[in-house]
Amino acid sequence: EKNGFAHFMLKEIHEQPRALRDTLKGRLAGDDSAVVLKELEIDDQKLRSLRKIFITACGTAYHAGLVGKYVIEQLARVPVEVDIASEFRYRQPLIDEDTLVIVISQSGETADTLAALREARRLGAPVLAVTNVVDSSIAREADHVLYTWAGPEIAVASTKAYTTQLVAMYLIALHLAAVRGTITLEERRAIIKELKQLDSRAELILGNGHLIKDLARIYGRAEDVFFIGRGLDHAVALEGSLKLKEISYIHAEAYAAGELKHGTLALIEKGVPVVALATQKNLFEKTLSNIKEVKARDATVIALAMEGQKELEKVADHVLYIPPTNPVLAPVLAVIPLQLLAYQMAVVRGCDVDQPRNLAKSVTVE
Ligand code: BG6
């Protein structure tokens, strides 16, 4: 059932092109001009009057929510707050009828997320669930459900569920943006066109997996790894860091690239691997100067950028490239090398990749 792959996690990483395609299927208008979300039965008037969106989730799904915030705010111009479900439910969130609450949960059974959903509904907000499991508790209790079609995810560390959750975030953001008139038809078409090509671009990245295996051989024994990035790259850095911690037990920290010097730059010493994400064109120069900051402390930098950013090769020790795409969509591609890096590092260290210690796939207790 592992289809010839050594672990479920590796199999699921490789299933992403198919999962991305399936999650888009039937949700785009024939001429690529619009997103069709039959599942979201909120009328357009209501979507136009929304004043706030809350996204709440746990773990990797929370990281998908961080990308969702950025994308919804940028495209649909609605303020979005993202909260960890176990925090949201106890902090008396300021919710009214002009608030939409989006809960994200691969399993649809996470106790904290389910409790957050119930709290949101109690406060009178409509709840939209993004989940991968049909008829799960969260799917049943939400007002609206947008399914991700990742297929069953067996490995505890979430991979294809995360990238399909990102697709769900793009679909929601594009739909809201269309209804609220915050982006032009041309802009929408351009993003949708790129969205449809994510599967083949993901395929290209997977085809270069051996480069990451080589890196894991060099750095697999590291004690600490830092991940830095700005904007959407920061959200992906958090997910890359979590993946590494979850399955390889290496201590990892993700920092907004500009914040490192206000925090733990002192921990960057000779040879400490720093994975630096620089996929966002408008932030590239800023991230580049942060890379120089860590290089000045003799860190080893593994940079991740879109093809064409040759400048990085002069500064970083290694550069991994993703195929060019619209910067808002970059997280779907950027996370794949990080998933593979976490996987290969865990393999080098002889860890039980699919069943990491102390973690469960679905946590149905508080
Ligand atoms: C954790 C899992 O306990 O639950 C994570 O180990 C997962 O991988 C998190 O991201 C949230 O799960 P779900 O099913 O609500 O997305």
Side-chain angles (χ1 to χ4, degrees):
E1 15 160 346
K2 286 184 203 147
N3 249 345
F5 289 99
H7 296 93
F8 280 108
M9 183 180 176
L10 190 59
K11 169 176 174 267
E12 289 161 5
I13 289 173
H14 281 265
E15 282 171 346
Q16 288 177 111
R18 196 270 311 141
L20 295 170
R21 255 189 320 274
D22 286 353
T23 303
L24 282 178
K25 206 180 288 166
R27 288 168 170 167
L28 300 174
D31 61 354
D32 291 350
S33 63
V35 162
V36 189
L37 289 184
K38 292 197 200 83
E39 302 94 325
L40 193 67
E41 292 147 345
I42 307 177
D43 64 64
D44 290 359
Q45 189 45 48
K46 177 85 188 162
L47 292 179
R48 272 192 282 272
S49 63
L50 283 181
R51 281 190 293 135
K52 190 155 83 179
I53 295 176
F54 275 99
I55 302 179
T56 184
C58 305
T60 289
Y62 167 73
H63 292 158
L66 294 176
V67 172
K69 170 188 165 73
Y70 194 98
V71 174
I72 294 170
E73 287 190 344
Q74 182 163 328
L75 301 182
R77 310 307 293 163
V78 195
V80 182
E81 272 194 58
V82 195
D83 220 340
I84 291 163
S86 57
E87 290 295 318
F88 175 89
R89 58 178 299 200
Y90 293 118
R91 76 170 173 99
Q92 298 174 286
L94 294 169
I95 284 179
D96 62 24
E97 60 209 18
D98 291 328
T99 309
L100 171 69
V101 175
I102 302 175
V103 300
I104 310 174
S105 172
Q106 186 281 129
S107 64
E109 302 297 343
T110 300
D112 285 315
T113 312
L114 184 59
L117 173 159
R118 289 179 180 154
E119 177 65 2
R121 295 199 72 221
R122 192 184 67 79
L123 293 168
V127 175
L128 165 62
V130 173
T131 181
N132 195 39
V133 178
V134 174
D135 212 28
S136 53
S137 304
I138 285 174
R140 272 185 274 116
E141 292 197 29
D143 299 286
H144 313 275
V145 185
L146 185 58
Y147 284 112
T148 50
W149 298 116
E153 195 180 61
I154 309 296
V156 168
S158 182
T159 54
K160 60 178 181 167
Y162 171 77
T163 42
T164 55
Q165 284 160 358
L166 297 188
V167 169
M169 295 297 113
Y170 297 124
L171 292 172
I172 294 168
L174 285 165
H175 181 61
L176 280 173
V179 172
R180 296 169 70 95
T182 45
I183 58 171
T184 65
L185 177 61
E186 288 67 43
E187 288 169 315
R188 201 159 70 224
R189 274 219 169 101
I191 297 175
I192 290 175
K193 194 170 143 258
E194 291 293 320
L195 202 49
K196 287 170 71 178
Q197 295 189 52
L198 285 176
D199 61 337
S200 56
R201 298 198 164 130
E203 209 84 72
L204 289 173
I205 298 171
L206 292 167
N208 283 327
H210 56 278
L211 300 175
I212 291 160
K213 208 168 176 176
D214 294 343
L215 288 177
R217 265 192 220 112
I218 309 174
Y219 301 109
R221 292 287 151 198
E223 281 174 28
D224 308 279
V225 175
F226 282 75
F227 290 77
I228 59 172
R230 287 173 178 258
L232 282 168
D233 283 335
H234 176 227
V236 179
L238 286 162
E239 174 58 9
S241 159
L242 176 65
K243 282 289 84 85
L244 189 66
K245 281 182 276 203
E246 279 181 324
I247 59 167
S248 76
Y249 316 138
I250 297 173
H251 165 241
E253 291 210 38
Y255 259 89
E259 182 66 9
L260 193 60
K261 60 178 166 296
H262 303 295
T264 52
L265 187 58
L267 298 182
I268 305 289
E269 308 177 303
K270 189 171 169 48
V272 171
V274 176
V275 179
L277 285 81
T279 70
Q280 301 294 303
K281 213 178 277 169
N282 62 330
L283 299 167
F284 183 78
E285 292 304 323
K286 295 286 170 195
T287 307
L288 188 64
S289 62
N290 298 129
I291 292 174
K292 289 177 182 163
E293 272 165 21
V294 297
K295 274 313 299 176
R297 271 99 192 152
D298 285 331
T300 302
V301 173
I302 302 167
L304 179 61
M306 278 193 217
E307 268 157 30
Q309 302 286 20
K310 288 260 172 239
E311 231 181 309
L312 278 174
E313 291 170 20
K314 286 183 245 141
V315 188
D317 299 82
H318 309 273
V319 187
L320 297 170
Y321 290 109
I322 58 168
T325 188
N326 187 305
V328 290
L329 305 179
V332 175
L333 302 180
V335 79
I336 298 173
L338 305 188
Q339 294 168 342
L340 287 169
L341 187 66
Y343 172 79
Q344 298 293 0
M345 301 268 259
V347 168
V348 165
R349 295 165 80 94
C351 298
D352 186 351
V353 173
D354 286 334
Q355 292 291 334
R357 67 184 184 218
N358 301 345
L359 291 178
K361 184 69 188 158
S362 158
V363 182
T364 51
V365 293
E366 239 193 275

